[in-house]
Amino acid sequence: MSPETTTAHLGDGLTVSPLGFGGMALTPVYGEVDPAESLRTLHHAVDAGISFIDTADIYGAGENEELIAKLLKDRRDEVQLATKFGIVGNPRDGYTDVRGDTAYVTQAAEASLRRLGTDVIDLYYMHRRDLRVPIVETVEAMAKLVRAGKVRHLGLSEVTAEELREANAVHPIAAVQSEWSIWSRDVERNVVPAAAELGVGFVPYSPLGRGFLTGTVNAEQLGENDFRHRIPRFADGALDANQAVVAAVRSVAAELSQSTGRDATPAQVALAWLFAQGHRLKLSVVPIPGTRKAHRIDENLGALSLVMSAAQLDVLDGAADAVVGSRSADPTWVSQGRE
């Protein structure tokens, strides 16, 4: 990581690495994992300069937080730690509820602190909106954790622009986390402009389209328990049609490789597009791709120095028009269905 790209600034004074690491990939949502390899990958990420580590209490029903605790044991000062609360259940087996009531916020935070083996969480997200509870109530409960010294900054995941404004009026919001990538652009209509207006950073999850934009996903090879089977755009017909998006990303990667003399990969192109979008839309963007393989960390970091032309960005922008299928089986589960 070059000196000029070692930090990024989200909202509320939170400084992180310009590329983060999404921990969900280190749980069995895309197939089985090797805990020892997962821990090596986490250490490699921090060694390479990625200090912003993202997890959630439902990833592996708490196992992901326990895994990251092993990293934090000797490297807590090197990490900006983010975790989330609110979803009850497990992404592989299905969710049973969403809770945002005051009692649950407190309970969830204490449980995460215990599993993570730390006394403070740098960025604590509301993972999904509990529509039965006013968002101001949920955020006030989160703000109490800040005042108690258990949390440093607050974040929201998959909220609408109006929900973000209501929450930010209660306590400064450091970051919004939502799915955002070349093939998931609905957030650009409302929540991205609101975040830019309020000075809130944006943390795109699944910036590589749950692996699809890398061109390495074969639907026929997805395991029986792979989480992606439940996503409409990964259905048989849709997945074939969506190869047009991958073709656009590959074409730009090939063009960059030829013009620069360095190998540019589809993953790097997809991440560099997000950095360019942040610049164009005037907000701080810190993607959090996840991976099980250490060498993918190095590949992803290559996106920080990748510069695309206006024509290449136009090709990638147009690819979104070819996408078939929603990014969620239930659009109301994410901001897309509530705006």
Side-chain angles (χ1 to χ4, degrees):
M1 203 176 289
S2 60
E4 67 273 16
T5 56
T6 54
T7 59
H9 304 284
L10 297 174
D12 194 32
L14 177 57
T15 299
V16 298
S17 55
L19 191 70
F21 182 91
M24 192 175 85
L26 301 181
T27 49
V29 292
Y30 301 130
E32 295 306 313
V33 297
D34 177 352
E37 181 183 37
S38 295
L39 186 57
R40 287 194 297 271
T41 298
L42 282 168
H43 277 287
H44 183 78
V46 178
D47 290 341
I50 294 177
S51 58
F52 186 36
I53 308 296
D54 178 276
T55 183
D57 58 1
I58 54 114
Y59 296 165
E63 290 179 0
N64 197 255
E65 289 183 326
E66 292 171 349
L67 171 68
I68 289 173
K70 296 177 181 178
L71 170 76
L72 300 177
K73 183 177 180 181
D74 300 314
R75 310 191 72 167
R76 181 66 184 92
D77 292 344
E78 300 176 67
V79 169
Q80 295 92 47
L81 172 66
T83 193
K84 314 177 200 72
F85 75 91
I87 302 176
V88 181
N90 186 300
R92 183 173 67 171
D93 302 326
Y95 308 118
T96 58
D97 200 3
V98 175
R99 288 185 61 182
D101 56 281
T102 298
Y104 187 76
V105 173
T106 304
Q107 169 192 329
E110 294 291 352
S112 284
L113 287 165
R114 183 172 60 253
R115 283 189 294 267
L116 289 161
T118 187
D119 57 2
V120 64
I121 296 163
D122 296 304
L123 177 59
Y124 198 43
Y125 285 103
M126 178 189 76
H127 205 164
R128 289 294 186 274
R129 169 78 197 279
D130 182 349
L131 296 176
R132 302 163 300 189
V133 178
I135 194 166
V136 294
E137 178 182 327
T138 303
V139 176
E140 177 53 38
M142 296 167 70
K144 288 179 181 177
L145 296 170
V146 176
R147 293 193 289 270
K150 296 180 179 181
V151 168
R152 291 193 172 108
H153 301 276
L154 303 185
L156 306 170
S157 181
E158 290 292 1
V159 290
T160 66
E162 184 56 33
E163 289 165 349
L164 173 58
R165 289 191 176 94
E166 289 182 37
N168 197 66
V170 175
H171 187 280
I173 301 300
V176 169
Q177 182 177 135
S178 290
E179 183 172 355
W180 188 14
S181 69
I182 290 169
W183 77 340
S184 295
R185 300 187 60 183
D186 54 279
V187 292
E188 294 177 18
R189 287 194 295 270
N190 296 301
V191 71
V192 164
E197 169 196 328
L198 297 169
V200 175
F202 211 99
V203 177
Y205 72 79
S206 297
L208 303 180
R210 303 188 186 277
F212 185 74
L213 298 177
T214 67
T216 61
V217 174
N218 183 335
E220 295 178 357
Q221 296 176 348
L222 296 183
E224 182 180 344
N225 294 325
D226 195 299
F227 172 71
R228 289 169 286 193
H229 283 300
R230 300 206 300 271
I231 300 174
R233 60 181 51 167
F234 280 89
D236 291 343
L239 202 57
D240 290 339
N242 286 329
Q243 292 298 327
V245 184
V246 176
V249 178
R250 280 178 164 160
S251 71
V252 171
E255 190 175 293
L256 283 166
S257 297
Q258 184 174 14
S259 64
T260 64
R262 54 168 277 193
D263 288 335
T265 68
Q268 291 170 343
V269 167
L271 292 170
W273 177 86
L274 273 168
F275 294 131
Q277 282 299 86
H279 180 73
R280 289 194 282 186
L281 298 173
K282 298 180 171 56
L283 80 166
S284 179
V285 173
V286 181
I288 50 167
T291 181
R292 302 174 191 174
K293 305 295 184 182
H295 71 91
R296 294 294 186 193
I297 300 287
D298 302 324
E299 177 185 350
N300 292 340
L301 283 169
L304 292 168
S305 58
L306 199 64
V307 178
M308 290 181 284
S309 68
Q312 289 164 341
L313 291 171
D314 285 344
V315 169
L316 299 174
D317 288 343
D321 296 332
V323 177
V324 175
S326 172
R327 66 184 177 94
S328 176
D330 177 5
T332 63
W333 172 251
V334 295
S335 61
Q336 180 182 25
R338 303 198 310 277
E339 294 209 281

